[in-house]
Amino acid sequence: MVKQLRKPAAHCGPARWSPTDHARPVRDAQLTQPRVYLHTADLDASVRRVQELGGKADVQQVPEVGRIAHCSDDQGTLFSLYEPQG
């Protein structure tokens, strides 16, 4: 059985967690594990390099933020690349 974590309170203070809450995978979540974000000045060049090395990348525009590429390397390790809006 997969347990979904409770969402933190909607205020700006620290999240309130019960001692019984545990980090367990959520079956329906798109991202089911921590993801490392790496800054790049040239997202297009970085994505080309990921693909040259056998990886995959999905580039997305984030309004007023920049662009993000969710990637996986040739062994399935997930990471993301971030290019801030210039």
Side-chain angles (χ1 to χ4, degrees):
M1 177 175 185
V2 176
K3 176 184 173 188
Q4 186 169 4
L5 296 177
R6 287 180 235 154
K7 293 181 180 178
H11 59 79
C12 294
R16 309 244 185 244
W17 295 99
S18 163
T20 60
D21 288 333
H22 303 283
R24 295 183 186 169
V26 179
R27 189 171 294 160
D28 295 332
Q30 182 179 7
L31 303 174
T32 59
Q33 55 190 293
R35 185 174 290 254
V36 174
Y37 284 79
L38 305 168
H39 174 273
T40 179
D42 187 346
L43 188 67
D44 295 323
S46 297
V47 165
R48 277 193 304 274
R49 186 66 177 143
V50 167
Q51 293 169 338
E52 288 169 5
L53 295 171
K56 298 177 184 176
D58 176 33
V59 179
Q60 301 173 0
Q61 181 71 39
V62 181
E64 299 181 28
V65 175
R67 296 189 308 152
I68 294 175
H70 295 300
C71 306
S72 62
D73 67 12
D74 62 337
Q75 297 178 31
T77 303
L78 303 175
F79 63 97
S80 292
L81 301 170
Y82 164 67
E83 177 186 77
Q85 185 171 322

